[in-house]
Amino acid sequence: MKPIIEVAARAGIDEEHLELYGKYKAKLNPSLTEERKHRPNGKLVLVTAVNPTPAGEGKTLTTIGLTQALQALDVNAVAALREPSLGPCFGMKGGATGGGKAQIVPAEDINLHFTGDLHAISSAHNLLSALIDNHIYQGNALRLDPKKVVWKRAVDMNDRGLRSIVTGLGAGNGLPQESGFLITSASEVMAVLCLSENAADLKKRLERMVVGYTFEGEAVTAAMLDAAEGMAILLKDAIKPNLVQTLDGTPVIVHGGPFANIAHGCSSVIGTKTALKLGDVVVTEAGFGAELGAEKFFDIKCRQASLRPDAAVLVVTAKALKYNGGVPAKELGEENTRALAAGMDNLKRHLRNLQAFGVPVLVAVNHFAADHESELRLIFDACRELGVAAELSDVWAEGAAGGAALARSLMRILEEKPSRYAPLYEASLSLKDKIKTIVTRLYGGSDVSYAPAASKALADFERRGFGELPVCMAKTPYSFSDRASLLGAPEGFTVSVSRVSLSAGAGFVVVETGNAMTMPGLPKVPAASRMRLETDGTIEGLL
């Protein structure tokens, strides 16, 4: 690793704009944004993927390797990524900093406590929770109905035992009431931080957050509880983006970490806009499959932040297509061109969906050592028939060299194919029409059904003036539908909306479908059980 001061200098950042967190990480001061405000933006490229599978698709890996490859071609490239959550790191997948020769470092620090951003977000969220309970306990001047408090607590860990809890038990401990925990990545505070333009915007968004309703049905906000200033104090450093590097010393901005199945799934607006003032090409990513993370990137983040994406890279693997063609996870290493051909519909629909946003698309075929040539040929033949450029990506094994063809193809697209980006739907559509547009045009469904309470809440949001907000779909990432078992490219299904909630500070309406959960649980064998802290302080099993 290079000292972060050297990485910053390579990106044209003077040391005066850095707040050092040791030798290899730093936060970027707002003074950098002010200094660079007149510099033209670089090109913005989104990396997304087909629906995730147990085999892993390598979206973050591809983002990192592509950025390394662009730098190797003398393109001034910067990556903009999300911060990992401790929940998934110790739960399902271990670290989230790439792998092989395409990594961001210091990987252990980034995967663990990093610069404390997620802890600050958890603390700010729980400060508001405490202020709500205290207000009710101290006389409840706002007449906040304890049964209509919609603000839960947050912790950055997978813990199914905290999904539903009762607080206030015991004499003098407040009013007993049902509550629960979200994982921090699902907190509206996380979304607010990631969508804020600056510290002043952050404070305004915090003030707008709705925490519950009075006995008369009027909304109660964080501002009415005098909570925003204290929360902003806790977030004063967390709002500053973090600078790290790839194994090649390429600059990477890592900031914010909302999940894409239950939140909007993109790194921060501040981090992205800072990167656009530093690099000629900025490579960013959105979580899970393109129908989740990419849709929210285009319809929420880009719409709110006035960003104009120039291209999208869709990551696919032979294993993912075979899985979507019906092959069990344990048999994905076996050659099966018939199943791969059947699973190709998943790739085709993602390509169609991305093109619906008006951006040119490049397919990155993430290469595994055990891939079969016959299967890879099928993927490239299909892309050729569809008129979409595709390149093999071998960045895990070869780093920048393994992404050279992908980088060259991307640069040709950026030079020759102008983006005609536009959101999928107009803000003027009703909330239900926005939901149906996503379900029918992107997912392939035919209709939407609503629980009575969800339907009533949507009408109430529109009555209160929130009808022009975009919708943030919360659903399983494993299928286009709201049922994880419907693989491939299902059609004609009905999506069931079980619950909706207002994120007035973030600026969207969350739409929960099927069994979407805001607090994940740990798997039968958590990643934490495979980790070891050695006597010399090194960590085994995290990466």
Side-chain angles (χ1 to χ4, degrees):
M1 281 185 289
K2 296 180 172 64
I4 200 64
I5 293 174
E6 292 183 17
V7 177
R10 179 176 179 177
I13 304 171
D14 294 333
E15 190 174 347
E16 65 184 275
H17 300 306
L18 302 178
E19 291 181 11
L20 299 177
Y21 280 64
K23 192 175 180 180
Y24 302 110
K25 347 184 252 294
K27 280 192 169 289
L28 299 174
N29 281 321
S31 57
L32 175 62
T33 304
E34 181 64 22
E35 180 188 86
R36 294 294 183 100
K37 65 181 180 181
H38 297 301
R39 182 191 186 275
N41 284 344
K43 300 283 190 179
L44 180 58
V45 178
L46 174 71
V47 176
T48 183
V50 297
N51 290 97
T53 71
E57 284 59 61
K59 189 167 64 272
T60 303
L61 173 85
T62 303
T63 303
I64 297 165
L66 175 57
T67 308
Q68 292 174 309
L70 289 167
Q71 280 283 6
L73 294 178
D74 292 326
V75 176
N76 178 21
V78 178
L81 299 172
R82 292 173 297 162
E83 300 180 46
S85 163
L86 292 179
C89 283
F90 285 90
M92 189 68 113
K93 65 180 183 179
T97 50
K101 293 185 178 180
Q103 293 187 50
I104 53 174
V105 288
E108 289 178 354
D109 291 5
I110 297 167
N111 281 311
L112 296 176
H113 306 289
F114 200 18
T115 56
D117 293 347
L118 268 72
H119 299 313
I121 292 167
S122 300
S123 297
H125 182 112
N126 292 327
L127 171 61
L128 180 53
S129 303
L131 289 171
I132 293 167
D133 287 352
N134 187 61
H135 180 86
I136 296 172
Y137 179 75
Q138 300 292 354
N140 199 5
L142 293 173
R143 291 182 52 79
L144 176 58
D145 186 347
K147 295 181 180 179
K148 295 180 182 177
V149 172
V150 296
W151 193 261
K152 296 185 177 183
R153 285 162 168 77
V155 63
D156 187 31
M157 188 57 62
N158 293 7
D159 191 343
R160 63 173 55 85
L162 295 177
R163 287 173 184 160
S164 298
I165 63 170
V166 177
T167 62
L169 297 177
N173 295 329
L175 182 70
Q177 56 187 309
E178 293 184 3
S179 185
F181 276 77
L182 314 168
I183 191 165
T184 299
S185 296
S187 165
E188 187 179 354
V189 180
M190 172 68 81
V192 161
L193 181 134
C194 286
L195 290 168
S196 295
E197 295 277 353
N198 48 48
D201 186 32
L202 172 72
K203 195 180 296 186
K204 290 178 182 177
R205 288 173 177 270
L206 292 172
E207 290 173 345
R208 295 200 301 263
M209 295 190 307
V210 174
V211 303
Y213 298 88
T214 66
F215 290 103
E216 294 76 25
E218 297 303 313
V220 176
T221 65
M224 296 166 70
L225 292 165
D226 297 322
E229 290 291 341
M231 297 173 74
I233 289 168
L234 288 170
L235 297 170
K236 70 179 182 66
D237 294 318
I239 195 173
K240 301 170 186 175
N242 307 291
L243 180 68
V244 290
Q245 62 187 297
T246 69
L247 291 174
D248 296 345
T250 304
V252 180
I253 291 177
V254 179
H255 196 216
F259 289 163
N261 60 329
I262 49 181
H264 72 285
C266 310
S267 60
S268 75
V269 167
I270 293 175
T272 303
K273 288 194 169 183
T274 301
L276 287 168
K277 294 299 184 183
L278 295 173
D280 295 326
V281 176
V282 172
V283 186
T284 190
E285 67 160 342
F288 288 121
E291 94 287 1
L292 279 174
E295 184 272 317
K296 295 169 185 180
F297 173 81
F298 292 127
D299 280 331
I300 297 177
K301 179 177 177 177
C302 291
R303 187 198 301 263
Q304 286 198 25
S306 299
L307 294 170
R308 302 288 303 179
D310 295 281
V313 176
L314 181 66
V315 180
V316 65
T317 66
K319 290 182 178 181
L321 296 182
K322 286 189 288 187
Y323 186 80
N324 275 283
V327 175
K330 62 183 180 181
E331 299 175 14
L332 290 176
E334 300 174 12
E335 186 174 12
N336 193 330
T337 55
R338 179 176 296 180
L340 187 142
M344 198 74 73
D345 285 343
N346 188 268
L347 171 64
K348 292 176 180 177
R349 183 171 293 173
H350 282 297
L351 286 171
R352 183 200 69 188
N353 288 349
L354 290 171
Q355 290 166 340
F357 290 100
V359 295
V361 184
L362 169 64
V363 172
V365 183
N366 185 24
H367 183 232
F368 285 71
D371 282 347
H372 302 280
E373 287 298 322
S374 60
E375 295 174 345
L376 296 177
R377 279 197 303 272
L378 273 179
I379 299 173
F380 286 110
D381 288 345
C383 291
R384 193 176 303 111
E385 290 175 9
L386 294 168
V388 177
E391 299 290 351
L392 193 69
S393 175
D394 208 1
V395 296
W396 189 93
E398 300 180 19
L406 186 67
R408 285 193 293 268
S409 189
L410 175 62
M411 291 308 297
R412 282 194 297 271
I413 287 173
L414 293 176
E415 292 164 4
E416 299 171 5
K417 295 186 177 181
S419 171
R420 294 179 175 83
Y421 158 74
L424 186 69
Y425 52 79
E426 296 294 332
S428 58
L429 286 179
S430 71
L431 293 173
K432 282 191 173 181
D433 282 344
K434 290 169 186 170
I435 295 167
K436 189 165 185 177
T437 298
I438 293 172
V439 168
T440 56
R441 290 191 58 189
L442 293 189
Y443 298 173
S446 58
D447 204 358
V448 185
S449 67
Y450 295 88
S455 189
K456 180 181 178 182
L458 289 172
D460 184 60
F461 296 159
E462 292 182 341
R463 180 181 64 81
R464 295 176 187 274
F466 297 108
E468 293 206 350
L469 294 183
V471 293
C472 183
M473 302 296 289
K475 75 170 188 69
T476 175
Y478 302 110
S479 171
F480 279 108
S481 75
D482 56 351
R483 286 167 282 173
S485 59
L486 291 182
L487 301 178
E491 293 183 341
F493 52 86
T494 296
V495 167
S496 300
V497 174
S498 54
R499 182 177 177 273
V500 297
S501 58
L502 175 64
S503 293
F508 53 68
V509 172
V510 179
V511 180
E512 296 183 26
T513 69
N515 295 317
M517 290 182 293
T518 54
M519 170 55 79
L522 292 171
K524 186 174 183 179
V525 182
S529 65
R530 301 189 294 270
M531 298 178 191
R532 288 172 56 94
L533 178 63
E534 304 295 348
T535 55
D536 61 358
T538 58
I539 299 172
E540 296 294 331
L542 177 60
L543 304 180

